Structures are given as C-alpha cells and as structure tokens.
Amino acid sequence: MLTLSIRNLSVNFSGNDVIRDVSATLHGGEMVAVIGRNGAGKTTFIKALAHLVRRSGEVVLHDDEGHVLSGRDIAYVPQLEAVTSRLTVFETVLLGLVRDLGWKVTDEQMETVSDPLAELGLEPLSLKPVCSLSGGQKQLVFMAQAFVSHPKVLLLDEPTSALDLRHQLVVMDLARRYTRQSGAVTLFVVHDLMLASRYGSRLLMLHEGRVRAFDSAERVLMPYLLGDVYDVEACVERTPPGFLNVIPVRPL
C-alpha cells in the first residue's frame, strides 16, 4: 500500500506563513477532502504537495516495500477557470503523458491516450478545441489528462466549483473509482461540506494555515469545530441516504 507522509510542511509568501507545520499520513486507496474557509491555505497546501510552490518540511511518497517514488507520480488538476487554449482534447490529454508535445507520437502513446478518452466518453470530442467545450466537458478532459499518466497521488483543486449537480457527481465518482482501482492517494479541495463528507474517507480541516482537525466526517463536522473555523452556528444532520449535511443557522 502507498503511503504519503507529510511532516512539518510550511509555505511562506513574503514573510507571511500561509501553511504552518502541517503533518499528516495518508494511505493508498483513500480520498481526503481538504476543507476550511476562504484563505485557510487549502490551494497552497495541495500546490505545495505538487511542487508548484516553494515549501519547507518533508513530503515522502513510498510503496509498501519502502521504495521512495518521484514527483512524476503526482498529478495536479487546477480549479476550472477560463480556458483559451486551442489545443484539441486529444492533445491536451497527451500533454499529461509526455509533458511536451513533439513532432512524433508513438502508437503506444496514441493507445495510452485513447484509453481514458474512451472511459470518460470523450472520444467523439477528441479533435475539438478544449476552449469550445462546456464546463463539465472541460473538467472531464482535465481529469483524463491526470489519469493518463497513472499517478500515485491525485490532487484536485475545487474540481466541482464550476459544475452543475450532475457533473459534480460524475467527476467525483470518477475520482473515487480511480482511487479505489489504482490504490492512489487522492486529495480534493472542496467548499461543499456534503460533498466532502460523501466522498472523503477523512477530512483535513485547515484553519489559518494549520491543521485544525484530521479525522472522519463524523468527527470533523462537529458544531463546535464549524463554529471555531467558519464562524457560524450550525447543526449537522444525517440525510436518508446516509450522508452528513451541515445546516448553517446564523453567523457568529
């Protein structure tokens, strides 16, 4: 089983500690929801794991035999924003495999890219520019780009923020299926606490750059913690399907 060990991770921007001494151990096959209010450091945290910002501390990914894996085993999917690239769907997914588009694509690479396109139902769109697609289709393309390299760590920055209800479930179900089938570690930043509790085997709650709680949804989505972190009075109910739902009552 894979293990992602994070020890005393810190990120400083212009003398300001955005992330401070974050430590956690995550295991293969689990999805961890990263939650907290705006400015808590959620995006900076997963960017630090992806080597996209300068950091201090230790981040080690190793398999069950203790072999240390490399940064190329990590895939980061940014928050969906305006996409202006004229690259096609196929070319965009290919970038996730080769990192740099060259003049020649091998038959093996063609087949490798075709697999996630087929699995996500994107084959009919493979020659279309990504910028011409709907928000849900774009998010699926970027998920395919992440899957194509078979990462051991999947980092998703607000993967549902620009999606309708159906595509939120489609994208999160895809992430969960990949995580379970590959044994990868997945972290996803999310504001919707019901989605966090539904898909997160554990919730990592950040507050002012530090870990305020890291446990199951039942132990993290507690009224007193929600009050401390979000400054709201809230109650937590379990819905008939068995999901936790946070109901804000009033600001504190």
Side-chain angles (χ1 to χ4, degrees), residues 29-35 172 176 180 186-188 190 192-204 214-218 220-221 243-244:
E30 76 169 333
M31 292 181 67
V32 173
V34 182
I35 63 172
M172 294 309 300
R176 180 165 60 186
R180 290 175 174 175
T186 295
L187 293 94
F188 63 102
V190 66
D192 187 324
L193 298 180
M194 180 179 281
L195 283 177
S197 66
R198 177 170 181 167
Y199 289 97
S201 52
R202 288 188 288 172
L203 276 56
L204 193 154
F214 183 33
D215 212 324
S216 66
E218 290 78 4
V220 173
L221 298 181
F243 308 129
L244 294 181

Side-chain angles (χ1 to χ4, degrees), residues 14 20 32 35 38 44 50 54 108 126 143 152 180 204:
S14 302
R20 292 180 286 178
V32 173
I35 63 172
N38 291 339
T44 300
R54 183 174 295 180
E108 182 181 1
S126 61
M143 295 292 283
K152 304 299 184 184
R180 290 175 174 175
L204 193 154

